[in-house]
Amino acid sequence: MSEPVIDPKLDDLAVNAIKFLSVDAIEKARSGHPGMPMGAADYSYTLWAKHLRYNPKDTAWPNRDRFVLSAGHGSMLLYSLLHLAGFDISLDDIKEFRQWNSKTPGHPEREPQHGIETTTGPLGQGISNAVGMAMAQTRLAALFNKPGYDVVDNHIFVIASDGDLQEGISHESCGLAGHLGLGSLIVIYDDNHISIEGNTDLAYSDNVAMRFEAYGWHVQSIDGHDRGAADKALSIAKEVKDKPSIIIARTHIANGAPTKQDTASSHGEPLGEKEILGAKELAGWPSQPDFYVPQEVYDLFAKRAEQLLSDYKAWQDMFAKYRQHYPEQADLWDKMMSKCVPENIEDAIMPSIDLEKPVATRAASGAVMQEIAKLVPSLWGGSADLAPSTKTDIKNAGSFGKNNRLGWNLHFGIREHGMMSAVNGIGLYGGFIPYGSTFLIFSDYARPAIRLAGLMNLQAIHVYTHDSFFVGEDGPTHEPIEHLASLRAIPNVKVIRPADAAETIVAWAVALENRTGPSILALTRQNLPPCNDDPAKAKGLRKGGYVVRDADRIDAVIIATGSEVSAAIGAADLLAAKGIKVRVVSMPCTELFDEQDAAYRDSIIPPDVKKRLVVEAAVPLGWCKYAGDDGLIIGMNRFGASAPANVLAEKFGFTPEAIAAKVEKYLG
Amino acid sequence: MSEPVIDPKLDDLAVNAIKFLSVDAIEKARSGHPGMPMGAADYSYTLWAKHLRYNPKDTAWPNRDRFVLSAGHGSMLLYSLLHLAGFDISLDDIKEFRQWNSKTPGHPEREPQHGIETTTGPLGQGISNAVGMAMAQTRLAALFNKPGYDVVDNHIFVIASDGDLQEGISHESCGLAGHLGLGSLIVIYDDNHISIEGNTDLAYSDNVAMRFEAYGWHVQSIDGHDRGAADKALSIAKEVKDKPSIIIARTHIANGAPTKQDTASSHGEPLGEKEILGAKELAGWPSQPDFYVPQEVYDLFAKRAEQLLSDYKAWQDMFAKYRQHYPEQADLWDKMMSKCVPENIEDAIMPSIDLEKPVATRAASGAVMQEIAKLVPSLWGGSADLAPSTKTDIKNAGSFGKNNRLGWNLHFGIREHGMMSAVNGIGLYGGFIPYGSTFLIFSDYARPAIRLAGLMNLQAIHVYTHDSFFVGEDGPTHEPIEHLASLRAIPNVKVIRPADAAETIVAWAVALENRTGPSILALTRQNLPPCNDDPAKAKGLRKGGYVVRDADRIDAVIIATGSEVSAAIGAADLLAAKGIKVRVVSMPCTELFDEQDAAYRDSIIPPDVKKRLVVEAAVPLGWCKYAGDDGLIIGMNRFGASAPANVLAEKFGFTPEAIAAKVEKYLG
């Protein structure tokens, strides 16, 4: 790699250009966070001008370094750097900071084409995404690097704030990163001693260096305004291959502001005209025009871009040779980078799965995953210490760890939030369709990461088992009641609750094909019989809802999901014996059903049939939409309880008998 | 305090009684976690027999020590100890372990009368509750102790597992505990090296001692089966007054099981008959009867109870004298212990608040809190580094910290989850009506703690501001969309979204009076005009929904919440000018509205008016119930965006003009 040579005086110009672009944009928007970009400009410039490898003309280059601004409120720092480095962020875009439909929203929103690798702002997420990125990088390097061919040798750089490090998720992800020895991960901690309420010592006195040593990280401490020190620390960190690195950079928030440096007020409000003029004067910067960038600074970054371009071309040449020498590996590379999934994958899987005997959908899912693992090389994931229960281990595929970079199964530890944010990071890195698994109840712990996957249009598969009070003896702390509704509430999240093994296969197919958001599989602990005489009918899941049991006359429609579908069918049988004819609809995914046209929806739930029941062992919230004004919802208006599952089913009224009795009463 | 003297041979009997009671109960239930009770029996017995202060006959004794089994899956350990110690858990109750309606559910469920201080099972919660308990203990001690009167000098003891310490919430709460120097908190870390997937070294290699040193804790390491070492370490920890203590106890899971000791299989499954017989044989324990407790063990605990009773009586005598010498303090004590709130507190507050000028409900809330602070001594809380935005600081009341134990305002740091779990702990301890505050979007980070407050019937007030896309420039990462619906989905949680300053006062009154669950106040960033000509009408909030603008003929009903109420009134004005007569209903709390009788509900939303609109700047999930089949919901079916709030209101259709246009079109 060629080493950049930079004129120290030019460095000052470039750092000031970053600071004042940021400050001017925030001032124009009358909104934003100027303190962080000013405080972080020195080391950030050093990172971008001397270390970070990128190609603004090919932002999808797989071996680019990843840059994650975990302290997302400092978004203008990122936009300023992207602008100077030649990415598709113009000066006009910067002038549109925080305006409708601009490329420069208040917090960075994932846009790979613009060099924005992930959406940040909710603290602790960026650094945890980065841990996932480093996991992905490490596995890809192990899969593809060959002697003389370092196809994957990039780094993941993060800027994190005290907020990121106070958030619990940082404990989970950073503990995991240390455990896994992720050498490609380099975090700069912007230690500016200021948070919104005042000095960080109001609430925070962790010894950060000691904490990260306890995690097994490589730790350095520097003056964050000493660009030479930052350069040296970054060089050292890059050489540490067996541990993640943290560089604790003591900075001064709003560095260079005459009266607001080191103040909480500089964190989240524009500096104001007077303060900006003072800062520009102190820096010897022209007071006008605003958004001023000296040509020398553009030239400096252009020169750096040239050096980087030659690195980029060298990588492309190397990869062309790699393709010749290792055609099978290159083929696998292409398949993984495109996240290739065979069409109608359920057809390939169905013959391998026993679809006749009653089975828990978690167990069916485990069997399905063994088949997918053979067909989809991008699939990768694990569990938060519940694999024996969630059935997500891929057999004979080993465990990913310090000593086995090719191992498949990820052991995230008891760290649901860190897991799902790392899963997002694996997906963001590229090459993988990631999954994570735990009990549905613990999706609450991971909720901010689920939301961000939705917001980022990011594929991620969440395998959540033990999906209702049928958990039984473990009791209400382990029995999800409100989780189906609350996950359905998040935009762009597909919640899928299959009713039997065949539906579980199709649910997985849908999740594999859903490239633009997270998919949530809600699976049972308990066994369920097959719902359809012909398993192929389960493909109806692709439309969200379909008829599993029809009648020649429809006195009522019962809409059910998951484990309640077979109970509803049982109820239909009991009712049929009494001359009451009921259609049963399996509705594994309301999001998909809502996407169908009215003709389809009306063919499943006929508008003229007003007697409709919904049966779901969960809060009724959201079901009136389908039940209608005359409908009845059999749900849970309370927390669960600790008792054997069959006892709970009786007490809570979810047996076929109880459902049939309610239908009968309701039909009068 | 009298020192217990115990015969070492008796100790063995008692430890084995704990182990085999636990194991037998799990075997009978065919479900449970035997490994932890067996592994933890030695030091737990030491704690309960030699250190813990309690009175099973007065479980509400304010100065009792608190015992928190954060590793809630080890519930049988707790039940065994409670039984032996004379609490209201009989042998028959233990035989009913994990059965319907028993006193011994799968995971401990808060039941102060039985000595169960908090609900645990979701990992990391118990230890974080305990941090809140220690905060409450510390403030009460500072408020009430006088020379010679140690009214509050108890301890908070916790048993935590590796799962508790892996969870991110433990980082938040333990970092805060170290920062605050909570000397009354003593954690025993059950370091058994086993988690569900196998040895903890699969996923976990934190240096726990170093980590807790980094937090400023007092750290000791012992052999967890050496009862003498445990005794000594507990004695030392009790003497450390300026730091929380952690005792790292290396244990062997399922200690004493012949083949399952140190195995993952002993974690979550009954040992099986053969293994139990083997363990009993090894211990020299009779194989029959099951649930055997030697009389000597009962006697031992009875003797301990006698000693503790004399301590208890001494405290009562002391407090009687305290009451004579410090009648004002004793009066305050009584008020705090009963969490006294003046009746109709809104009447006392209204005159002090400016109800005429437009104001953000967060600012109104801040003003209201200043008044409540004068009237409700139990009120106590703070913010997760957002007090300047959430307006929750009590003025001139100081900050709680190492050097100011009387300070009011709590600085939780950027630790939303730790905050809300500590808030639960403050509430559980007694004496306080606690509150925590952050942005509504970050309620996702705290969700498991919110749920547990609901499950525990525990009062806690959540002040969540910036409650919609009206946040504006900060963009979609900071704009709640699904949060109102997803919080309403949790059983026993009151979500209250007031529409103006007057409603905000009543919302606070409701929250203060809601003793049996958490109340969530969703408050605006932006200014809102008053909705009622007479502020007293805002008392309609107590019924969940009420009419804020009526018409002599009702062409349609608009139901709105929070900031959308004034927009709906604006729309009603525009429509009135066109001859369309609309009733506007403010519906700040659907939970309260649903509790009213049908007559009231029908008087607000007349059943014969089928033209109904709901306006809420959030996902529509759940509103069909009120809108009905012919209704229209004006909500958000997407994430927010970064732009000035007024621009977003136009783009998303939440201006009075846009609402009026939609109503007009809808009415045809």
Side-chain angles (χ1 to χ4, degrees), chain A residues 112-231:
Chain A
Q113 284 176 284
H114 302 157
I116 301 171
E117 302 281 0
T118 182
T119 296
T120 53
L123 290 166
Q125 297 295 334
I127 191 170
S128 304
N129 293 165
V131 170
M133 291 177 183
M135 290 165 75
Q137 192 270 359
T138 304
R139 185 156 202 255
L140 285 176
L143 278 170
F144 292 103
N145 288 357
K146 299 283 176 193
Y149 294 93
D150 284 338
V151 175
V152 181
D153 68 350
N154 54 340
H155 283 93
I156 321 296
F157 293 99
V158 180
I159 296 179
S161 64
D162 60 273
D164 289 301
L165 298 195
Q166 287 181 63
E167 289 288 357
I169 187 175
S170 72
H171 168 61
E172 299 181 12
S173 56
C174 294
L176 182 62
H179 176 77
L180 293 173
L182 302 175
S184 62
L185 177 63
I186 299 174
V187 174
I188 303 176
Y189 165 38
D190 190 69
D191 181 20
N192 66 23
H193 291 214
I194 294 294
S195 64
I196 290 173
E197 293 184 356
N199 194 294
T200 49
D201 67 11
L202 264 175
Y204 186 53
S205 46
D206 291 3
N207 181 328
V208 173
M210 193 186 285
R211 173 187 168 200
F212 278 80
E213 272 162 28
Y215 295 153
W217 285 48
H218 180 261
V219 180
Q220 302 178 75
S221 293
I222 62 167
D223 170 354
H225 300 296
D226 180 341
R227 298 193 289 263
D231 184 26

Side-chain angles (χ1 to χ4, degrees), chain A residues 523-539:
Chain A
L523 305 172
T524 64
R525 177 184 186 218
Q526 76 276 24
N527 284 348
L528 302 177
C531 290
N532 293 294
D533 39 11
D534 174 6
K537 284 193 192 162
K539 288 191 186 187

